Amino acid sequence: MPSRNDILRTLVSRRACRSDRQSEPVSSIFGENTFDIRAMREKLSKSAYKKLEASIDGKQDLTIEIANEVAHAMKEWALEKGATHYCHWFQPLTGTTAEKHDSFLTFEDGFPIERFAGSQLVRQEPDASSFPSGGLRATFEARGYTAWDSNSPAFIIDGGMGRTLCIPSVFISHNGDSLDKKAPLLKSVELLQRKTKELLAVFGIKATRVQSNVGAEQEFFLIDRELAMLRPDLIITGRTLFGARPPKGQELGDQYFGSIKDRVLAYINDVEHEAYCLGIPLRTRHNEVAPHQFELAPLFEDANIATDHNQLLMDIMRKKALKHDLFLCLHEKPFARVNGS
């Protein structure tokens, strides 16, 4: 393994990795990999779209007939985008997201065919035995269920080796206990809406719907991957547990809002491009206050969708960091005597 000094010498001549981002306007690619309102209007019949919209707004229940039509339209859209598999995308108590891919492939009269039924869209039963459950059930009982969250649009992830249709879902036990972070969020959003409408009614204001908005800033540190590999504490825990005091702190504040280096900007450009295709409305990018700390900030969105987008964004950032030979650190205060988020 090369020494720290050897790596530092090579860093001087290291150049930015070419960004995949093209020069097209953001508006021309925004949300192209999401089954959003535009895609639903295009792929669904007018009556099916209206019924789905009413279901999302809580005005009527989602019937299996509508679920079947939505599932078929979603599958056709995904196949056009090159997807071969689908998954229920959920957020267990691991601090990250989870997905189990299933193929659209099935057989009819002995012939292969792609099919996606409403029952597959609405509910799945992944093997949930190894996820943390907060003591709600024994680990050998795999009774975990995912249920489609129709409030958050489905999206396609391009893994480089294949495309997958991802369906945002809640994760619950056989008895209906929450096993994830999304179900409690949806419950809190619903409670906040109900109590806010009651409060508004006291002042004579009749509200039909109250929306909770969130704009989650994402701050992060970037470190050259070769240098990070020399620090097992950083790799394992996401922060330094030993070592000397950093040679440069924040005495001058010259990092904050400073010029973004080419290598970092190439990385951010790649992150932004994929985020825009997934409908994540990133608006701001800049150097943060700590050495090699940066920030991406989106426009405010519905709290549920904003949470999904923040999880997606972190996943994109991790993958793109590998391409650019960078180590992404999302810990809010990874270095002693260096201020974080």
Side-chain angles (χ1 to χ4, degrees), residues 52-318:
L52 177 61
E53 189 178 40
S55 173
I56 292 173
D57 291 338
K59 296 177 182 178
Q60 72 174 59
D61 293 334
L62 181 72
T63 64
I64 189 61
E65 291 77 20
I66 298 302
N68 281 331
E69 187 167 344
V70 173
H72 177 74
M74 199 179 285
K75 179 209 66 175
E76 292 298 306
W77 172 80
L79 291 177
E80 290 173 6
K81 295 284 186 179
T84 57
H85 291 67
Y86 70 93
C87 73
H88 274 204
W89 182 84
F90 57 102
Q91 302 171 29
L93 304 178
T94 57
T96 184
T97 60
E99 54 198 61
K100 184 193 73 167
H101 298 188
D102 286 300
S103 172
F104 289 118
L105 177 68
T106 187
F107 286 86
E108 188 173 287
D109 298 327
F111 294 95
I113 187 174
E114 280 87 8
R115 178 165 290 167
F116 187 43
S119 58
Q120 295 169 307
L121 168 65
V122 172
R123 192 184 79 168
Q124 291 281 288
E125 185 183 358
D127 182 357
S129 58
S130 296
F131 286 118
S133 65
L136 292 174
R137 54 177 170 68
T139 56
F140 61 83
E141 294 175 335
R143 301 297 288 253
Y145 298 88
T146 51
W148 175 36
D149 173 19
S150 59
N151 290 279
S152 186
F155 55 90
I156 288 178
I157 286 293
D158 187 351
M161 296 297 177
R163 290 189 153 206
T164 304
L165 171 66
C166 298
I167 302 160
S169 307
V170 297
F171 184 43
I172 58 176
S173 73
H174 178 68
N175 295 323
D177 299 308
S178 299
L179 299 176
D180 67 350
K181 296 185 177 181
K182 176 180 270 280
L185 172 66
L186 294 177
K187 292 175 184 177
S188 65
V189 168
E190 175 60 30
L191 178 62
L192 183 60
Q193 176 177 230
R194 187 167 71 250
K195 293 302 180 181
T196 304
K197 288 164 69 175
E198 291 175 5
L199 178 62
L200 290 173
V202 173
F203 296 97
I205 302 172
K206 186 177 180 181
T208 57
R209 185 167 182 262
V210 176
Q211 181 171 310
S212 306
N213 291 330
V214 171
E217 295 180 351
Q218 184 59 65
E219 297 183 359
F220 57 99
F221 289 82
L222 290 174
I223 308 162
D224 182 83
R225 178 159 290 277
E226 285 193 80
L227 284 174
M229 290 299 112
L230 298 177
R231 298 299 302 259
D233 53 344
L234 189 62
I235 298 299
I236 296 171
T237 68
R239 64 180 300 173
T240 54
L241 303 178
F242 56 86
R245 184 171 181 171
K248 180 180 182 296
Q250 297 157 238
E251 298 83 5
L252 300 178
D254 53 338
Q255 161 79 1
Y256 194 48
F257 281 16
S259 175
I260 304 176
K261 300 295 189 293
D262 287 349
R263 194 175 172 197
V264 175
L265 191 57
Y267 164 75
I268 292 177
N269 271 329
D270 275 355
V271 170
E272 285 179 330
H273 182 267
E274 187 163 344
Y276 290 145
C277 290
L278 290 168
I280 303 174
L282 294 180
R283 184 66 179 268
T284 301
R285 63 189 187 194
H286 65 84
N287 287 3
E288 253 300 337
V289 63
H292 239 252
Q293 184 188 27
F294 309 93
E295 179 184 310
L296 295 173
L299 296 172
F300 275 66
E301 300 179 279
D302 176 83
N304 179 34
I305 296 175
T307 302
D308 283 357
H309 281 172
N310 187 242
Q311 289 287 342
L312 259 179
L313 180 61
M314 290 189 287
D315 192 40
I316 294 169
M317 291 168 68
R318 293 185 188 100

Side-chain angles (χ1 to χ4, degrees), residues 1-12 14 226-227 230:
M1 179 180 290
S3 68
R4 176 181 172 83
N5 288 336
D6 292 336
I7 295 173
L8 289 174
R9 278 191 288 269
T10 61
L11 281 178
V12 177
R14 190 164 293 172
E226 285 193 80
L227 284 174
L230 298 177

